[in-house]
Amino acid sequence: MDSRAPRRLAIVHVLSSFQTGGAEQVVVDLAASQRAAGHHVLAVAIAEDPDGPRAEQLRRRGVEVHLVPKCPGFDRTLTARLAALFATRGVGLVHSHNHLSLIYAAPAGWLHRVPVIHTKHGVSQDMQGRRWLRSAASAFVDAHVAVSQPTAAVVLGRREVEPPKLHVVANGIDLSRFAPDPAARARVRAELAIPQDAWVVGSVGRLSPVKNHALLVRAAARSLPRSGRLLLVGDGPERGRLVALARELGVFERVVFAGERHDVPALLAALDVFALPSLSEGLPLALLEAMAAGLPAVATDVGGVATALVDGETGFLVPSGEVAPLAARLSELHADPGRAAQMGRRGRMIALQRYSAARMAERYMDLYALLLTRQPARVAVRPSALLAWIWRASPRLPEVSAAPDRGDGGPRGDHPSPRSPAALAS
């Protein structure tokens, strides 16, 4: 890390919600690493219903957690409310994640006169709907980060970012949580009524259209042996459709819908092959976790998948949206368990070498240090200070709030009120 970086920095991560997801897990791991290094770290969620299980995980790691819910439609007050929060908490750097946070948190960081960094975790699906808002907000960002080179290429191709501001920082995971685990394998299979000798293909992720689990169900109908199983871990709007599809294809009895779970390492241990049928990805944590768990993978060649999965060495890449190639590669791994095991070992080696959360955090902290060296040593007046004073002084304006404490025993942040704009202008 750059020696010019401050010994103790107040960092805020702004994300849409604290629900389960890849970007949210990146924030958990990154914030935890920063907190362990001695920095004061806040996490703020801004969606209309922003609460979720990641809030508990963050709090247990010593991260201060806040909800600043967005009003329906375009919220004309949210940027000001965020800026006021940054002032009251003495934030020294703003880090936003994905497009909703970019729109509101980047200008709030500018009002607070601190560096703003934004991470794009994948390619947006609504490129036309909010393009002008993202473009306007990007002007307030000091550094944009893409999680893979292919994601960076898309960003540049769409002229979303000025090239000098663009950086690539690969996602990382807490590698200590993932490894082959025979005891967990037997326990989970027994719990889910999966035969111990069954060949099991699985996928972990929200059951949403972009993840395209329907493709995997169709491929499983062609490739699963009679004793095989397809394990889908996650929940979401596509669940009913997927259940109906499995019934239609005659494989419902061999598809296990595990729902949303928080014991992913144990569930991965129960698999023989990991499958990722997505239509779009940045650099999916689910794939990195499967590799770290020692699983061969079959994944669609989208986004940054090919930067992690080495075709023919750690698994197979297949075209997006095509059933036959996915089914064929799954059958190939079932027919050659020795090769499948070798691929899994190679994938685990690559994950251990390249995709640690510690390495990701170090890259981000180096980028923070670079931005901070360009920042004036002292800002005489921060517009955010005045906004904080106004918000505290007016009973008619909505307040930000700490995320509800669910009794997890984790540390909490205090919430001092500003005495005046001058008191917050440093």
Side-chain angles (χ1 to χ4, degrees):
M1 188 185 305
D2 194 315
S3 62
R4 296 167 293 182
R7 292 186 178 179
R8 190 172 189 270
L9 179 64
I11 304 163
V12 62
H13 292 277
V14 185
L15 60 163
S16 293
S17 75
F18 294 126
Q19 296 298 327
T20 302
E24 293 80 2
Q25 185 61 57
V26 167
V27 171
V28 170
D29 290 334
L30 181 55
S33 176
Q34 292 166 345
R35 186 71 187 90
H39 301 289
H40 181 60
V41 186
L42 298 81
V44 178
I46 65 173
E48 293 170 34
D49 183 18
D51 198 12
R54 299 297 191 204
E56 293 182 28
Q57 296 175 9
L58 286 159
R59 193 182 291 110
R60 284 197 299 268
R61 290 158 174 80
V63 177
E64 186 179 320
V65 177
H66 291 269
L67 304 178
V68 188
K70 184 180 82 67
C71 298
F74 180 72
D75 188 339
R76 300 176 187 278
T77 71
L78 182 51
T79 288
R81 285 186 285 142
L82 288 170
L85 176 64
F86 299 164
T88 62
R89 308 312 295 146
V91 166
L93 184 140
V94 175
H95 190 161
S96 65
H97 300 265
N98 279 338
H99 69 271
L100 188 64
S101 300
L102 168 67
I103 290 168
Y104 293 101
W110 180 83
L111 288 170
H112 188 49
R113 299 296 195 262
V114 297
V116 177
I117 181 173
H118 174 70
T119 296
K120 190 176 186 68
H121 292 271
V123 178
S124 301
Q125 299 301 302
D126 64 336
M127 288 307 300
Q128 298 302 323
R130 294 192 180 105
R131 176 175 287 185
W132 73 271
L133 285 173
R134 285 195 299 270
S135 177
S138 293
F140 299 105
V141 175
D142 299 289
H144 292 258
V145 172
V147 298
S148 69
Q149 288 290 353
T151 301
V154 171
V155 169
L156 289 174
R158 291 175 173 172
R159 299 182 180 178
E160 295 182 30
V161 178
E162 297 175 10
K165 287 187 176 182
L166 184 61
H167 306 261
V168 175
V169 177
N171 284 339
I173 60 174
D174 180 358
L175 293 168
S176 67
R177 300 177 58 225
F178 300 94
D181 187 341
R185 179 184 178 90
R187 183 179 69 252
V188 168
R189 287 189 172 213
E191 175 194 343
L192 299 176
I194 296 174
Q196 295 294 329
D197 60 349
W199 185 72
V200 182
V201 177
S203 190
V204 178
R206 180 169 167 77
L207 303 183
S208 61
V210 72
K211 298 300 182 180
N212 199 19
H213 290 95
L215 182 75
L216 180 55
V217 173
R218 293 182 185 280
R222 299 188 185 189
S223 60
L224 278 181
R226 293 301 307 172
S227 61
R229 295 292 186 273
L230 172 61
L231 175 58
L232 298 180
V233 180
D235 207 347
E238 289 290 287
R239 180 174 179 133
R241 177 169 172 259
L242 293 170
V243 169
L245 179 63
R247 291 187 187 279
E248 176 189 331
L249 297 174
V251 293
F252 178 73
E253 300 301 324
R254 288 181 283 159
V255 180
V256 180
F257 291 89
E260 184 171 325
R261 301 276 296 243
H262 302 291
D263 56 344
V264 171
L267 289 157
L268 288 174
L271 303 181
D272 294 292
V273 175
F274 180 80
L276 186 81
S278 301
L279 296 170
S280 175
E281 289 286 355
L283 179 57
L285 295 191
L287 174 62
L288 304 183
E289 292 168 352
M291 290 169 60
L295 293 172
V298 181
T300 49
D301 189 2
V302 296
V305 169
T307 65
L309 192 160
V310 183
D311 189 38
E313 288 189 32
T314 65
F316 295 112
L317 294 169
V318 295
S320 177
E322 297 185 24
V323 175
L326 177 57
R329 289 304 194 183
L330 291 174
S331 295
E332 192 172 333
L333 290 174
H334 174 251
D336 194 346
R339 187 184 185 194
Q342 184 180 32
M343 286 179 164
R345 289 190 294 270
R346 174 62 177 156
R348 176 167 167 76
M349 184 187 310
I350 289 175
L352 294 176
Q353 290 173 346
R354 302 179 187 173
Y355 297 111
S356 71
R359 179 175 179 174
M360 173 184 68
E362 182 178 0
R363 293 286 309 281
Y364 274 116
M365 291 307 298
D366 285 344
L367 183 54
Y368 291 2
L370 176 64
L371 298 181
L372 288 163
T373 59
R374 301 172 180 172
Q375 195 73 4
R378 179 180 176 83
V379 179
V381 177
R382 299 180 192 268
S384 57
L386 177 60
L387 289 168
W389 183 78
I390 292 172
W391 239 260
R392 292 291 188 181
S394 174
R396 296 186 300 275
L397 294 172
E399 287 279 3
V400 300
S401 63
D405 182 358
R406 303 172 189 226
D408 56 40
R412 294 130 179 90
D414 55 345
H415 308 282
S417 298
R419 295 184 297 278
S420 68
L424 296 166
S426 59

